[in-house]
Amino acid sequence: MKLYLSSYRLGNDTSVLKNWLLTHDNNILVIPNALDVFPDGERKSNSIEDKNKDLVELGFAPKILDLRNYFSKPEDLKNDIKDYKSFFVQGGNTFTLRRAMKLSGFDDYLKSISEKPDYLYSGFSAGICVLAKDLHGLDLVDDPNIDPYDYGKIIWDGVGLIDFVPVPHFDTPSHPESRFMNDVVKYLGEHHVYYKTLKDGDVIVEDIKDRGLCL
């Protein structure tokens, strides 16, 4: 699986995505569940669609995948998305997104396809943070107690596809969450956790098949 991990929106390395389209179809599933901390409505829908415009401009044909439709139905999820090779996971609350992935089985699905080179996982902010092995420290910027699904507990284990904690919006004064990121970095450093900072615009591109699954 190719990972395209951006701090905010698509970042400044979109040539990677354009090259992907040269050898793959343009269908991409957009996962907006990190935004479920906000009520459904026009404001939320407009935010999702605004981010999708970036994909459309590159040549992708985005389709929304709402993981809430698959809670406790992981087999239905796998069946409905089996023909899609590309995913774009939007930002929001990392812990809300983690719950949605767990409840739908999307986390296990990602692990099952992670070493297949013909898949693309792209995303930004919470959409990349959730891939870490452990989410401690990210609670300094995202409230882990916000639970729109009434799951009843915080999931501290990340999906585990990467061996570092991404710290997006670092040293980016224009982003409202940037002011919290120094605290995140301090926490991770004090606990000897491997992390990588990204300013808005920065992108990390990796291929899981080149280094194995980080479970």
Side-chain angles (χ1 to χ4, degrees):
M1 178 186 284
K2 181 175 289 293
L3 302 178
Y4 184 90
L5 310 178
S6 174
S7 176
Y8 185 59
R9 300 183 76 128
L10 290 185
N12 296 333
D13 203 4
T14 55
S15 60
V16 173
L17 300 177
K18 292 178 181 178
N19 288 337
W20 175 267
L21 286 171
L22 296 177
T23 54
H24 300 81
D25 67 44
N26 69 340
N27 295 312
I28 189 167
L29 291 174
V30 174
I31 297 170
N33 293 94
L35 293 173
D36 288 345
V37 292
F38 305 109
D40 290 334
E42 185 175 350
R43 182 178 180 182
K44 179 178 174 181
S45 297
N46 288 344
S47 176
I48 295 169
E49 291 305 317
D50 178 56
K51 308 300 189 302
N52 283 351
K53 290 177 183 177
D54 298 341
L55 295 168
V56 174
E57 289 176 0
L58 288 182
F60 284 97
K63 178 181 178 181
I64 301 297
L65 174 65
D66 189 342
L67 297 180
R68 292 177 295 182
N69 295 329
Y70 297 95
F71 285 1
S72 301
K73 297 184 290 185
E75 293 303 317
D76 289 351
L77 174 70
K78 287 192 288 186
N79 183 65
D80 287 352
I81 68 176
K82 65 181 185 300
D83 294 327
Y84 287 86
K85 304 295 185 181
S86 302
F87 306 96
F88 181 67
V89 185
Q90 295 190 359
N93 184 291
T94 302
F95 297 92
T96 295
L97 176 61
R98 182 68 187 96
R99 289 185 181 100
M101 287 185 169
K102 177 72 172 178
L103 289 166
S104 63
F106 187 63
D107 52 356
D108 287 335
Y109 181 75
L110 287 175
K111 293 174 187 178
S112 73
I113 62 172
S114 63
E115 296 194 28
K116 297 181 180 181
D118 55 338
Y119 283 87
L120 168 71
Y121 182 105
S122 59
F124 68 91
S125 195
I128 69 173
C129 292
V130 75
L131 296 184
K133 291 188 288 186
D134 190 285
L135 304 182
H136 284 90
L138 296 171
D139 54 309
L140 297 173
V141 62
D142 286 342
D143 187 348
N145 296 299
I146 300 176
D147 184 3
Y149 317 129
D150 294 325
Y151 183 64
K153 60 182 178 180
I154 300 169
I155 303 175
W156 292 105
D157 294 333
V159 179
L161 296 191
I162 53 179
D163 60 358
F164 61 92
V165 176
V167 183
H169 318 307
F170 184 76
D171 193 23
T172 308
S174 60
H175 196 286
E177 292 186 348
S178 182
R179 66 186 188 276
F180 301 112
M181 294 309 172
N182 285 332
D183 293 334
V184 175
V185 166
K186 181 180 179 181
Y187 174 92
L188 297 174
E190 290 175 347
H191 290 80
H192 309 289
V193 176
Y194 179 33
Y195 66 87
K196 294 184 181 181
T197 60
L198 300 90
K199 296 180 180 180
D200 284 0
D202 288 347
V203 176
I204 296 171
V205 179
E206 294 193 4
D207 290 291
I208 289 181
K209 67 180 179 64
D210 292 338
R211 55 175 172 73
L213 184 61
C214 297
L215 292 178

